[in-house]
Amino acid sequence: MKYTCTILFVLISSTIIFAQQTVTISNDVLKDKIKGGWAGQTIGVTFGGPYEFRYNGTFIQDYQPLHWSASYVKNNMLNNAGLYDDLYMDLTFVDVFEKYGLNAPVDSFANAFANAGYMLWHANQAARYNILNGIKAPQSGYWMNNPHADDIDYQIESDYAGLMSPAMPNTASEISDKIGHIMNYGDGWYGGVFIGAMYSLSFTSSDIPYIVKTALKTIPEQSTFYQCIKDVIQWHEQYPDDWHRTWYELQNKWSNDMGCAEGVFAPFDIDAKINSAYVVTGLLYGNGDFTKTLDIATRCGQDADCNPSSAGGVLGTILGYNKIPDLWKQSLKDAEDINFKYTTISLNKVYDIGYKHAVQNILAHGGKQQGDNVIIVAQQPTPVKLEQSFPDMYPADKIALNTAIVETTFTFTGTGFIVSGAAQKKSDNKPDTIIEAELYVDGKKVETTRLPTAFTTRRYELFWHYGLTNAKHTVTMKVLNPNPDYSLWASHYIYYTDKPLSVKQTLITF
């Protein structure tokens, strides 16, 4: 596969003031790579699906077989549609671009996914709740408003940004700046920026270490996301034949989750940076082999469907659809005309739409079509702005509540807290309702909130409040419209301090 690169120099008074590199790709190659990207992520999420969050804090041993069948994609699309949240979230944004153009406003993307019929979790669901209750993007993804800001959500749905920005990683970042901040901030947003950049660079390079290192240039060096991925690159260079050693190093240094209440003091880790590190581990140690790449990305565990989906999508773009091994591609034959649930888009449709959007984006950024080729004004990646969620916040303890809130009070000494639980109806025969509640901190009302019992519109966490002085605080939660048929169940709370606890402090005696 050949690309033509041209560097144009502009001279004023014999002085070069800028250099512009163009890349020429045939229309057929562009179509094949876009098709490979969408196919690769579909294959990857299907392959990893059975292992999603079943191996937390451990990897899948090499002797354990991972299964595959030519019927897996079709069967899952028809009978396990929720597996494809990676895809139908992507396609929600693709559909907005298709309806309203490349300059569609952020609210059109936010409202499309907030009002969609699919179930959501973590940062996506927290953002959906925010949008439906008047907190617009980008505040809907900001860590003070979204305790899941660092979670993997935008990372798994950012593929479209890179696939519509061939050789234009900064353009992919601009798209992600608008859409990724709907649901994420900081490391959670960086996951999507980084994945998008890898896709973008995969149109003009097949050198995987180069793609990984160059894509990382879109991330600020001061961020923990950058530092984590840089570690993976260094460990791969240090242990080039042992991905297990890199996995152990990641577990030792980067397996702590600060924001997501389900991952604090638990093996579960949906944090974007470590799951992105598993994507990179699969790509680097897979060394261009599609099967090996999916195998390693899956065996790393945690979000074991999304990680091979991202790795498979990037590698599928590098290889192009035609070079994805038939072992994997045959599973798509009977599925490519099936619309993903909650959408009107199938794989065959998005292959064509994706190509159209890529050409539109190329032309919008100085490129052109010339005969059977597209000429792209290639971009050297530049870092996006620095963001860091949950600064100087360290989990101190997790305390069980296990109570239905009527008026419930607890005290803690620290700088913030988060309360987990759910608004519930006591019988499935009852209609969904909204429980209204108030939160007080140290006697002052912090918020009055609406807590739906409906799963798709629920508030993912009941209450949280950060940024307090490091002192003793009293928290009161009060239900305003009690009803014997419904309850506001609080399972536990986690509180934070402004410094890591010492060994002596973490030793609790009775």
Side-chain angles (χ1 to χ4, degrees):
M1 189 177 297
K2 294 183 178 179
Y3 308 95
T4 302
C5 296
T6 304
I7 299 178
L8 304 176
F9 295 95
V10 177
L11 297 107
I12 296 179
S13 302
S14 303
T15 302
I16 297 174
I17 61 170
F18 69 85
Q20 186 180 78
Q21 181 180 15
T22 63
V23 179
T24 301
I25 304 177
S26 75
N27 291 323
D28 288 341
V29 168
L30 183 62
K31 290 176 182 177
D32 187 53
K33 284 178 166 290
I34 290 169
K35 190 174 178 180
W38 287 106
Q41 59 176 308
T42 304
I43 293 167
V45 74
T46 308
F47 177 63
Y51 316 102
E52 179 187 17
F53 289 116
R54 296 192 177 186
Y55 294 84
N56 301 337
T58 185
F59 55 73
I60 303 174
Q61 297 292 333
D62 290 343
Y63 60 76
Q64 179 174 335
L66 304 182
H67 299 283
W68 183 249
S69 165
S71 63
Y72 271 13
V73 175
K74 180 180 179 181
N75 286 345
N76 277 284
M77 286 186 71
L78 294 176
N79 303 308
N80 185 26
L83 172 64
Y84 295 100
D85 53 346
D86 302 52
L87 275 299
Y88 54 67
M89 282 293 297
D90 266 276
L91 296 178
T92 298
F93 305 137
V94 169
D95 189 50
V96 172
F97 280 119
E98 180 68 359
K99 289 177 178 176
Y100 305 112
L102 295 184
N103 295 318
V106 64
D107 285 352
S108 60
F109 297 98
N111 292 331
F113 104 91
N115 291 286
Y118 40 69
M119 295 182 290
L120 293 172
W121 290 266
H122 296 278
N124 279 333
Q125 181 59 30
R128 169 186 270 174
Y129 176 88
N130 284 341
I131 293 160
L132 294 177
N133 289 273
I135 301 176
K136 293 188 174 184
Q139 289 300 310
S140 53
Y142 184 56
W143 67 273
M144 289 285 279
N145 302 321
N146 190 329
H148 298 269
D150 276 348
D151 289 356
I152 197 175
D153 302 62
Y154 185 63
Q155 178 174 306
I156 71 173
E157 55 215 32
S158 62
D159 315 70
Y160 73 94
L163 286 169
M164 67 187 292
S165 307
M168 301 185 296
N170 300 326
T171 298
S173 296
E174 290 170 7
I175 294 169
S176 291
D177 187 13
K178 178 164 66 174
I179 301 175
H181 280 115
I182 295 171
M183 66 290 293
N184 284 101
Y185 183 86
D187 286 355
W189 176 53
Y190 292 148
V193 172
F194 176 64
I195 294 292
M198 285 202 293
Y199 271 100
S200 180
L201 296 164
S202 295
F203 284 89
T204 53
S205 177
S206 58
D207 183 334
I208 292 173
Y210 167 82
I211 289 170
V212 172
K213 291 176 183 178
T214 306
L216 191 57
K217 292 179 180 179
T218 62
I219 309 300
E221 293 184 9
Q222 307 96 310
S223 67
T224 53
F225 186 96
Y226 180 98
Q227 294 159 23
C228 178
I229 303 303
K230 184 179 179 183
D231 279 345
V232 179
I233 294 168
Q234 292 176 337
W235 291 327
H236 172 253
E237 293 171 351
Q238 188 174 358
Y239 314 111
D241 301 315
D242 187 2
W243 71 264
H244 306 87
R245 180 61 183 267
T246 292
W247 185 96
Y248 279 118
E249 298 291 351
L250 278 166
Q251 185 70 12
N252 181 52
K253 186 173 181 180
W254 293 109
S255 62
N256 54 324
D257 195 341
M258 296 293 183
C260 173
E262 292 165 67
V264 175
F265 305 130
F268 177 88
D269 198 340
I270 201 169
D271 186 86
K273 59 183 169 289
I274 195 165
N275 283 283
S276 196
Y278 295 151
V279 173
V280 172
T281 300
L283 285 167
L284 291 177
Y285 285 94
N287 198 30
D289 183 294
F290 196 83
T291 299
K292 189 175 181 181
T293 298
L294 294 193
D295 183 79
I296 293 172
T298 302
R299 289 186 187 277
C300 283
Q302 294 292 353
D303 204 344
D305 63 330
C306 296
N307 297 333
S309 182
S310 297
V314 170
L315 186 54
T317 308
I318 293 169
L319 298 174
Y321 184 90
N322 291 329
K323 290 186 179 179
I324 294 175
D326 289 339
L327 164 68
W328 299 99
K329 206 160 47 182
Q330 64 183 345
S331 66
L332 298 175
K333 287 190 300 183
D334 296 328
E336 286 175 306
D337 282 321
I338 301 172
N339 289 344
F340 288 93
K341 193 173 180 181
Y342 311 109
T343 81
T344 58
I345 302 176
S346 66
L347 279 169
N348 275 331
K349 289 177 185 175
V350 78
Y351 297 156
D352 293 335
I353 295 171
Y355 170 73
K356 180 172 76 171
H357 290 175
V359 171
Q360 289 174 346
N361 213 16
I362 290 166
L363 298 179
H365 289 84
K368 57 186 176 180
Q369 282 187 300
Q370 192 172 79
D372 295 330
N373 300 314
V374 290
I375 300 173
I376 306 168
V377 178
Q379 299 170 352
Q380 293 300 313
T382 57
V384 297
K385 59 190 173 186
L386 178 64
E387 300 177 350
Q388 204 67 57
S389 306
F390 313 110
D392 298 320
M393 281 180 55
Y394 301 92
D397 206 356
K398 180 178 180 178
I399 308 297
L401 289 171
N402 294 326
T403 186
I405 297 172
V406 177
E407 183 169 337
T408 301
T409 297
F410 65 85
T411 60
F412 73 96
T413 299
T415 59
F417 66 90
I418 184 168
V419 180
S420 295
Q424 301 173 334
K425 50 186 180 180
K426 295 182 179 179
S427 169
D428 290 338
N429 296 325
K430 297 294 180 181
D432 280 308
T433 192
I434 294 174
I435 297 174
E436 296 178 1
E438 291 177 335
L439 174 68
Y440 293 81
V441 178
D442 299 330
K444 296 180 181 179
K445 185 166 70 172
V446 172
E447 66 172 335
T448 301
T449 190
R450 294 159 55 85
L451 298 157
T453 59
F455 192 82
T456 55
T457 57
R458 74 198 186 282
R459 199 183 206 196
Y460 203 84
E461 311 293 346
L462 296 184
F463 303 102
W464 64 90
H465 196 64
Y466 307 136
L468 299 168
T469 57
N470 194 7
K472 185 175 181 179
H473 299 283
T474 300
V475 177
T476 299
M477 303 167 289
K478 184 187 301 184
V479 171
L480 300 180
N481 57 339
N483 187 314
D485 294 324
Y486 302 90
S487 69
L488 192 60
W489 182 257
S491 58
H492 62 271
Y493 69 91
I494 293 168
Y495 68 93
Y496 294 84
T497 60
D498 57 359
K499 295 181 178 62
L501 298 181
S502 67
V503 172
K504 184 177 181 179
Q505 288 173 308
T506 58
L507 177 63
I508 299 175
T509 59
F510 297 91

